[in-house]
Amino acid sequence: MSSLSRELVFLILQFLDEEKFKETVHKLEQESGFYFNMKYFEDEVHNGNWDEVEKYLSGFTKVDDNRYSMKIFFEIRKQKYLEALDKHDRSKAVDILVKDLKVFATFNEELFKEITQLLTLENFRENEQLSKYGDTKSARAIMLVELKKLIEANPLFRDKLQFPNLKNSRLRTLINQSLNWQHQLCKNPRPNPDIKTLFVDHSCGQPNGARAPSPANNPLLGALPKAGGFPPLGAHGPFQPTPAAVPAPLAGWMSNASTVTHPAVSGGPGIGLGASSISAALKHPRTPPSNPSVDYPSGDSDHVAKRTRPMGLSDEVNLPVNVMPVSFPGHGHGPAFNAPDDLPKTVARSLNQGSSPMSMDFHPAQQTLLLVGTNVGDIGLWEVGSRERLVLRNFKVWDLSACSMPLQAALVKDPAVSVNRVIWSPDGNLFGVAYSRHIVQIYSYHGGEDVRQHLEIDAHVGGVNDLAFSSPNKQLCVITCGDDKTIKVWDAGTGAKQYTFEGHEAPVYSVCPHYKENIQFIFSTALDGKIKAWLYDNLGSRVDYEAPGRWCTTMAYSADGTRLFSCGTSKNGESHIVEWNESEGAVKKQYLGFRKPSLGVVQFDTMKNRYLAAGDEFVIKFWDMDNVKLLTTVEADGGLPASPRIRFNKDGTLLAVSANDNVIKVLANTDGTRLLRTFENLSYDTSRTSEVNKPAINPISAAAAAAATSSTAGLTDRGGASVVSISGMNGDARSLGDVKPRITEESNDESKIWKLTEINEPAQCRSLRLPENLRATKISRLIYTNSGSAILALASNAIHLLWKWQRSDRNSTGKATAGVSPHLWQPSSGILMTNDVTDTNPEESVSCFALSKNDSYVMSASGGKISLFNMMTFKTMTTFMPPPPAATFLAFHPQDNNIIAIGMDDSTIQIYNVRVDEVKSKLKGHSKRITGLAFSHVLNVLVSSGADAQICVWSSDGWEKQKTRLLQVPAGRPATAQSDTRVQFHQDQIHFLVVHETQLAIYEATKLESLKQWLPREPSAPISHATFSCDSQLIYASFLDATVCVFTAANLRLRCRINPSAYLPANVSVPNVHPLVIAAHPQEANQFAIGLSDGGVHVFEPVESEGKWGVPPPAENGSASSVPANTPSVGVASGSEQAQQR
């Protein structure tokens, strides 16, 4: 079904719900399988309507689809069985046991026996595991919690749990727009057309003069509901309800309906807002009056057309462009172009604060002056250029007697205090500190080390979560918000309270003061996801809106104050960065790049008027403000926490980033590097070995450090405390603890000579040969499951082998590892997954397979028919496409598991729909068999490679061939006949790796140009296979002489070589035993596996003390370079690189 047809179903669902066709709504939800209504499902479970529960589920999943689905159905049927036993209805219990539960005996016979034995007990609570079973109502509630977790984790329900945000009666609106258009086409339009049917197009009858007005509000259709709007001004909070004029900058937020989620409530007439909202509408017209169906860009987007400089392009067009951006673990949506040079990407300074940084801010004028607040309440002031810490202040209350009794009691009970926010005043003469306990402290700054106490305010009951400076009425004020659900405004000179804004129903998380058209206002966000806006008066909130994420949200303007952005993280770790259309109070853009649940609250910042940045997934992510796709990511040499805190300086030349081990890394662009050099201490520059003396840590602060992270008084972490609660839900305890922070100056030290890491002994790496199977011959294909807990191999004799790792004391994650041996897994039935083979020798056939995204199915072929296997039961679900021609490569479509690209040995590619058993397209462009296929879901293309050494790019929308190119095979090194060429996309989905026995190469897909090429030195053995690491930072390559090499992907430079002696026994003949295939772990970037010609499979990891494979080589021939290590170089291997070759 096309995406528009799918959207039509959602519109129909909304219409049915508004018209109260409740049963029909849920029937369509089930039959379409597009939207799983969790509220309806909960109600049916609570009511014990088990038949309806299973019937509704059947529209989305079946029992044997995957392990989540199996567990969902098992829990439901088990509950139904226990309820029958509890009512002593033995016959019904036996019926449930035989008809519903017996299906699970195949997978766990012991459990089924134990369930059966419950029939013999007078009260099943005599069973120890069921002794705490309460009444039916509580048991259903407990089960429902588990079911919701299973449904949310089940890949089959992905994107089906959230109904799209639609304005009320969207289908009616579209029909009325259609009638408008039909009426405008009437030759003789009537002034008051009579619309009596929708079954045929409207047409006016007899001629009746001039063109008529639009029939959009014809009474037969019912009046279109206007935007729901907000209550009259003053209706929020305890202030007087008299209406007040709405300032134009906020009028749009007031005059538009809130986004609604299904089930939608039919809206009535809106509430008029007077001339101010009309003026805003005139300034920002959505559509011209003559054509309601065309959406014009608003005035806010005019600046896009004024951009004079294209993104990522050098003015010097004759030079090669760096085009392969660095990606990050587990991310699939990459940048569409290069990281521009004006982004601060190079680590220029590493500063050790002594405790964990919580908030940072650069001085507005002295832009190398960095203010830092930490998790133990310390304040640090750094001159970044000279690496000198000018000031260190430990937390203390300046005047305890002036503090409220609740604060005094709280400090006695638990002295742990964290900094939530530090910020400079606009002129840089003051800075404010918001603490996790009641207090705000304002310091005055007089240059150098001269910092003086200015004001101490007992501001809020609980934590002070944010602080900002503003100047309404040309008077500097301090704005604070806190756990007590209030926002307060204080005189920055005297500390006198000027305003208290009440109306939030949850702790206020952030404030964002701004002015527009001479109107001063404050945006605030709360932990229930509400955004409100306040003027400096006592008339209450002017806006009540939902923030994406609906939990921890911060807001920020671009430097010129024309564009408003917000960044929010939900309790489930879903993060959103959006741009708001202020004239409408609606989301204008939602930026892509948050595929995995965030492990903490994501912080973001704006850089001038051009870029956005956020700390997430152990990296810094960058976006161009005008492009929703991720621009690039920066690792900052590694060692970043899951959600690093970030802060640009005013000019965007420096970026401060919090790192592990209490470190702050300062990243710089070229201008930032020059700026720092002007402050460089000459004595430091000459020695380059001494480090700044580490500050003495306040013993009280140090003792409080551990307590600070778990303190419940306020938001101690603005993300740190959230890491604990969110990381467990991700199921992926990612840690960079093994990665040691790099010394920034190391790469510039010419006295240090880079050396290739050679691994010759077993003790130099961790390797594990997986348990043998005597039936296995050479390994033809190898892959990790997407969960990372198993390895699947296809041997040349058409048999599949599956190794599974289990959770244990030695392997708490249950993920694949070289430290623990897995089980060679088989179902209790003992069957094997064996491919159909032809009469010819299967050893001579080409093997291929592809794994579905949810690990439930594998599609595989070994010269015969293509087989579809269930990975849980090993049963053959179906076979299709008997040869000739035989399948030689398989790839699932990234958006639809039912669409498969199948490469054939007759050089064609067939696009096959499994559901309807039909070949949709046959692609012709190669002259020999297909040896590689790879989809890009960003570019919507399929890249193919063949034994003819040719690469083709096809559109995955219409399957037209876009480009084709022959591989550049080196002169004098002819490829063997029928030599394989493999392709694999980089994480950015723009670039791809080409693997041929003569070379590795990086291509750009849109132009199909080779950007980088690596050639083995003659007479080296041919390359047998290669693959990207999961984060696309490394390339693992195997060779026919049993060597395995590790390359830095950005520049295709060799960094580590594993020789056969490190993993093969001494009595093994290397020419006879060598790796044929190589696979990378989907989550652990430094783990890979190889499949050998003797049927063996080995898993490799670096030794724990190293944590990585070798050290990246310098940029040019071992000498220092100004190019960052993570910036790719472009072009084929030059003479200076020949020393790098094998």
Side-chain angles (χ1 to χ4, degrees):
M1 184 178 282
S2 71
S3 61
L4 288 180
S5 298
R6 187 172 184 269
E7 289 183 4
L8 181 58
V9 172
F10 282 115
L11 294 177
I12 295 169
L13 282 170
Q14 184 197 43
F15 173 78
L16 292 172
D17 188 79
E18 290 173 344
E19 297 299 316
K20 311 301 181 189
F21 294 109
K22 296 298 183 185
E23 291 185 14
T24 312
V25 167
H26 303 312
K27 184 68 176 174
L28 182 54
E29 288 167 352
Q30 177 218 323
E31 290 192 332
S32 67
F34 291 156
Y35 173 62
F36 185 83
N37 191 326
M38 187 70 83
K39 177 68 169 63
Y40 172 69
F41 179 74
E42 289 178 19
D43 291 342
E44 294 303 297
V45 170
H46 277 305
N47 295 330
N49 299 332
W50 303 119
D51 290 344
E52 177 57 26
V53 166
E54 288 211 19
K55 185 179 178 182
Y56 189 70
L57 274 171
S58 69
F60 303 89
T61 186
K62 301 292 185 292
V63 175
D64 58 353
D65 276 347
N66 58 41
R67 63 183 184 276
Y68 299 106
S69 300
M70 185 174 291
K71 178 74 168 163
I72 290 167
F73 280 98
F74 175 74
E75 290 296 328
I76 291 168
R77 294 176 183 181
K78 182 185 75 173
Q79 179 63 27
K80 185 164 61 166
Y81 175 65
L82 293 177
E83 288 183 17
L85 288 177
D86 209 22
K87 295 174 182 175
H88 301 287
D89 190 342
R90 298 300 170 110
S91 61
K92 184 176 180 181
V94 170
D95 191 53
I96 295 169
L97 189 68
V98 173
K99 291 181 179 178
D100 294 337
L101 288 168
K102 193 168 185 181
V103 65
F104 302 105
T106 311
F107 308 102
N108 194 329
E109 195 170 343
E110 289 300 317
L111 179 60
F112 181 72
K113 287 179 181 177
E114 190 173 351
I115 289 173
T116 305
Q117 288 171 1
L118 297 178
L119 285 167
T120 64
L121 302 176
E122 183 63 28
N123 185 340
F124 63 79
R125 294 172 180 80
E126 295 172 23
N127 182 294
E128 185 179 350
Q129 296 182 39
L130 297 172
S131 59
K132 294 183 180 179
Y133 183 95
D135 59 10
T136 298
K137 184 178 179 181
S138 62
R140 288 175 182 172
I142 292 168
M143 177 191 67
L144 194 54
V145 172
E146 180 68 17
L147 290 180
K148 288 173 70 175
K149 290 179 182 177
L150 291 167
I151 289 168
E152 288 166 358
N154 193 329
L156 294 177
F157 289 83
R158 191 170 295 150
D159 302 326
K160 296 180 180 180
L161 299 177
Q162 187 71 40
F163 197 83
N165 288 332
L166 303 176
K167 290 189 176 180
N168 290 355
S169 303
R170 178 63 182 155
L171 191 57
R172 284 184 182 275
T173 303
L174 293 174
I175 292 171
N176 278 310
Q177 288 173 349
S178 171
L179 291 173
N180 282 339
W181 176 74
Q182 292 171 36
H183 186 60
Q184 288 176 17
L185 295 180
C186 289
K187 291 183 179 178
N188 300 294
R190 291 181 178 180
N192 297 299
D194 189 15
I195 310 291
K196 292 185 176 179
T197 180
L198 298 176
F199 292 165
V200 296
D201 285 353
H202 160 73
S203 177
C204 288
Q206 297 299 320
N208 194 22
R211 183 171 293 275
S214 158
N217 289 318
N218 186 282
L220 285 172
L221 286 176
L224 277 181
K226 296 178 183 177
F230 297 100
L233 302 181
H236 297 280
F239 306 112
Q240 60 238 36
T242 53
V246 185
L250 301 179
W253 292 73
M254 297 282 304
S255 59
N256 273 272
S258 310
T259 50
V260 292
T261 53
H262 177 67
V265 180
S266 185
I271 297 170
L273 292 167
S276 56
S277 61
I278 295 170
S279 66
L282 290 175
K283 277 188 220 171
H284 305 283
R286 286 299 307 268
T287 56
S290 61
N291 189 350
S293 63
V294 180
D295 194 6
Y296 281 73
S298 71
D300 290 347
S301 61
D302 290 346
H303 69 279
V304 178
K306 297 175 185 173
R307 293 282 294 276
T308 58
R309 175 177 163 213
M311 290 299 301
L313 297 179
S314 167
D315 295 330
E316 302 176 28
V317 294
N318 58 321
L319 295 176
V321 182
N322 287 342
V323 288
M324 188 175 162
V326 175
S327 186
F328 59 93
H331 181 67
H333 297 277
F337 38 75
N338 273 344
D341 292 336
D342 50 353
L343 284 178
K345 305 186 291 283
T346 306
V347 177
R349 297 289 185 270
S350 288
L351 314 172
N352 194 313
Q353 173 62 32
S355 51
S356 180
M358 302 298 293
S359 178
M360 300 172 289
D361 195 29
F362 282 99
H363 193 280
Q366 302 174 46
Q367 293 191 48
T368 59
L369 210 58
L370 179 64
L371 180 65
V372 181
T374 78
N375 65 328
V376 296
D378 290 349
I379 305 299
L381 183 61
W382 292 84
E383 172 46 68
V384 176
S386 63
R387 303 175 178 81
E388 181 183 1
R389 181 159 57 191
L390 305 174
V391 174
L392 174 64
R393 295 286 174 90
N394 307 124
F395 172 75
K396 69 174 182 178
V397 177
W398 299 344
D399 185 0
L400 193 59
S401 63
C403 293
S404 63
M405 289 308 296
L407 172 59
Q408 294 184 41
L411 290 173
V412 169
K413 184 177 179 182
D414 183 1
V417 174
S418 172
V419 172
N420 282 338
R421 183 81 147 122
V422 292
I423 192 168
W424 289 97
S425 64
D427 59 7
N429 292 329
L430 300 175
F431 65 82
V433 187
Y435 292 98
S436 60
R437 300 291 183 87
H438 295 241
I439 289 234
V440 169
Q441 293 179 341
I442 310 296
Y443 291 85
S444 60
Y445 181 60
H446 303 270
E449 302 176 2
D450 191 355
V451 170
R452 304 174 193 173
Q453 297 177 3
H454 176 60
L455 280 178
E456 183 174 60
I457 305 170
D458 191 346
H460 293 271
V461 178
V464 184
N465 298 324
D466 201 7
L467 175 147
F469 287 95
S470 184
S471 298
N473 306 318
K474 299 182 180 179
Q475 179 185 3
L476 186 64
C477 293
V478 178
I479 303 164
T480 63
C481 65
D483 286 346
D484 57 7
K485 308 176 186 176
T486 66
I487 300 102
K488 298 182 182 181
V489 181
W490 314 82
D491 186 300
T494 64
K497 184 165 64 178
Q498 296 180 328
Y499 300 98
T500 298
F501 300 135
E502 297 178 340
H504 276 293
E505 296 177 357
V508 186
Y509 183 72
S510 70
V511 288
C512 177
H514 195 56
Y515 69 93
K516 216 164 195 177
E517 301 172 19
N518 297 318
I519 302 294
Q520 298 270 356
F521 55 92
I522 305 165
F523 280 117
S524 61
T525 71
L527 290 184
D528 58 0
K530 287 285 191 289
I531 297 175
K532 293 181 183 288
W534 316 81
L535 299 182
Y536 292 87
D537 57 27
N538 289 319
L539 297 179
S541 165
R542 302 307 207 271
V543 163
D544 190 353
Y545 224 70
E546 296 283 355
R550 301 186 181 181
W551 194 40
C552 296
T553 299
T554 52
M555 306 182 81
Y557 276 88
S558 56
D560 60 8
T562 61
R563 304 176 71 177
L564 175 62
F565 303 89
S566 73
C567 176
T569 302
S570 75
K571 292 181 180 179
N572 296 328
E574 294 175 1
S575 293
H576 307 265
I577 291 183
V578 300
E579 180 178 3
W580 292 91
N581 186 329
E582 284 186 271
S583 68
E584 299 178 12
V587 171
K588 182 176 179 180
K589 285 192 186 78
Q590 174 137 349
Y591 294 87
L592 308 177
F594 298 103
R595 191 176 70 85
K596 286 188 173 183
S598 301
L599 300 181
V601 173
V602 174
Q603 288 200 355
F604 88 128
D605 200 6
T606 62
M607 173 183 163
K608 301 174 76 174
N609 302 313
R610 193 170 178 191
Y611 300 114
L612 299 167
D616 183 46
E617 290 197 82
F618 306 89
V619 297
I620 302 120
K621 301 178 181 180
F622 292 95
W623 292 265
D624 179 88
M625 288 180 178
D626 297 330
N627 193 321
V628 297
K629 292 181 181 177
L630 191 67
L631 175 61
T632 190
T633 63
V634 172
E635 289 188 339
D637 297 341
L640 301 187
S643 301
R645 288 155 179 76
I646 63 171
R647 189 69 168 172
F648 286 106
N649 68 348
K650 184 178 180 180
D651 289 344
T653 57
L654 301 176
L655 176 63
V657 182
S658 66
N660 294 331
D661 302 321
N662 306 327
V663 167
I664 301 161
K665 296 188 178 187
V666 180
L667 280 58
N669 61 14
T670 306
D671 292 339
T673 303
R674 288 197 203 101
L675 178 66
L676 293 178
R677 281 176 183 159
T678 63
F679 290 90
E680 188 86 60
N681 185 301
L682 185 61
S683 63
Y684 183 90
D685 190 59
T686 54
S687 67
R688 275 221 154 156
T689 54
S690 63
E691 206 172 277
V692 239
N693 294 327
K694 294 188 177 179
I697 300 173
N698 179 354
I700 298 177
S701 299
T709 56
S710 59
S711 171
T712 56
L715 300 174
T716 59
D717 192 329
R718 296 191 69 79
S722 309
V723 172
V724 178
S725 60
I726 294 175
S727 63
M729 298 167 63
N730 197 33
D732 181 5
R734 297 163 61 181
S735 170
L736 293 184
D738 291 341
V739 182
K740 297 183 175 65
R742 288 168 53 183
I743 300 170
T744 308
E745 285 73 24
E746 183 178 46
S747 60
N748 296 325
D749 190 348
E750 298 187 14
S751 65
K752 296 184 179 180
I753 300 173
W754 177 83
K755 187 178 180 182
L756 174 68
T757 301
E758 294 269 6
I759 294 178
N760 300 304
E761 303 292 334
Q764 292 176 290
C765 68
R766 293 187 290 166
S767 70
L768 173 70
R769 184 172 176 117
L770 304 190
E772 302 286 348
N773 187 306
L774 298 177
R775 287 169 291 197
T777 53
K778 67 181 182 182
I779 302 298
S780 300
R781 292 287 184 267
L782 191 71
I783 192 172
Y784 282 85
T785 58
N786 295 295
S787 66
S789 59
I791 288 178
L792 179 67
L794 174 57
S796 59
N797 61 357
I799 294 175
H800 297 78
L801 305 168
L802 180 65
W803 289 273
K804 287 187 177 183
W805 277 260
Q806 305 292 331
R807 291 181 187 272
S808 66
D809 293 340
R810 296 177 58 204
N811 184 18
S812 59
T813 65
K815 302 286 185 183
T817 173
V820 177
S821 186
H823 299 291
L824 184 58
W825 194 82
Q826 270 185 272
S828 55
S829 61
I831 63 173
L832 296 170
M833 286 190 290
T834 306
N835 278 336
D836 175 66
V837 294
T838 58
D839 296 334
T840 58
N841 182 0
E843 297 280 344
E844 299 173 2
S845 301
V846 176
S847 300
C848 56
F849 66 18
L851 191 62
S852 67
K853 285 182 286 189
N854 58 11
D855 293 336
S856 295
Y857 302 102
V858 63
M859 194 162 287
S860 184
S862 297
K865 297 177 185 176
I866 300 173
S867 300
L868 180 66
F869 297 100
N870 184 311
M871 285 277 284
M872 298 183 74
T873 63
F874 281 16
K875 289 180 180 178
T876 305
M877 310 299 290
T878 185
T879 60
F880 55 97
M881 283 198 178
T888 56
F889 206 93
L890 299 166
F892 281 100
H893 191 286
Q895 269 89 40
D896 189 346
N897 262 348
N898 293 301
I899 304 295
I900 305 153
I902 305 172
M904 297 293 192
D905 65 1
D906 68 350
S907 79
T908 64
I909 302 165
Q910 301 197 18
I911 308 302
Y912 177 74
N913 189 315
V914 181
R915 179 168 287 175
V916 298
D917 189 22
E918 181 183 342
V919 175
K920 292 293 187 182
S921 296
K922 185 178 284 190
L923 315 184
K924 297 181 179 179
H926 290 274
S927 58
K928 293 181 180 177
R929 65 180 169 85
I930 305 301
T931 59
L933 295 169
F935 280 99
S936 166
H937 56 75
V938 169
L939 299 178
N940 291 325
V941 298
L942 170 69
V943 173
S944 63
S945 58
D948 54 3
Q950 187 175 207
I951 304 166
C952 297
V953 179
W954 315 81
S955 164
S956 59
D957 294 326
W959 303 111
E960 307 91 2
K961 184 163 68 173
Q962 295 180 338
K963 283 187 170 58
T964 183
R965 196 172 296 268
L966 279 170
L967 196 65
Q968 303 167 7
V969 178
R973 300 196 62 164
T976 57
Q978 300 286 305
S979 177
D980 283 2
T981 306
R982 302 281 176 80
V983 287
Q984 180 191 11
F985 266 99
H986 185 276
Q987 284 283 5
D988 68 8
Q989 297 283 294
I990 308 292
H991 303 84
F992 62 91
L993 171 67
V994 175
V995 183
H996 187 265
E997 64 175 28
T998 66
Q999 65 188 274
L1000 302 175
I1002 300 292
Y1003 278 71
E1004 196 273 340
T1006 57
K1007 298 177 182 177
L1008 200 53
E1009 291 180 352
S1010 175
L1011 307 177
K1012 191 72 179 172
Q1013 187 182 44
W1014 184 88
L1015 310 173
R1017 185 191 303 164
E1018 295 188 72
S1020 295
I1023 301 167
S1024 60
H1025 200 206
T1027 184
F1028 277 121
S1029 61
C1030 66
D1031 59 1
S1032 295
Q1033 302 301 296
L1034 304 175
I1035 294 172
Y1036 300 113
S1038 58
F1039 295 78
L1040 292 183
D1041 63 359
T1043 302
V1044 180
C1045 290
V1046 184
F1047 296 82
T1048 299
N1051 51 24
L1052 275 187
R1053 293 179 69 81
L1054 184 62
R1055 58 189 286 164
C1056 178
R1057 178 163 49 216
I1058 303 170
N1059 291 307
S1061 56
Y1063 68 95
L1064 291 178
N1067 59 353
V1068 170
S1069 171
V1070 169
N1072 297 326
V1073 179
H1074 52 264
L1076 296 173
V1077 284
I1078 193 162
H1081 192 285
Q1083 287 112 28
E1084 299 295 334
N1086 286 297
Q1087 185 186 139
F1088 66 91
I1090 58 173
L1092 300 176
S1093 55
D1094 68 349
V1097 173
H1098 284 254
V1099 176
F1100 289 85
E1101 290 178 289
V1103 292
E1104 291 187 29
S1105 59
E1106 295 293 332
K1108 57 186 177 181
W1109 297 106
V1111 176
E1116 292 184 18
N1117 202 26
S1119 64
S1121 168
S1122 61
V1123 180
N1126 60 359
T1127 303
S1129 48
V1130 178
V1132 299
S1134 62
S1136 66
E1137 290 173 329
Q1138 293 298 326
Q1140 259 263 313
Q1141 298 175 352
R1142 296 179 68 254

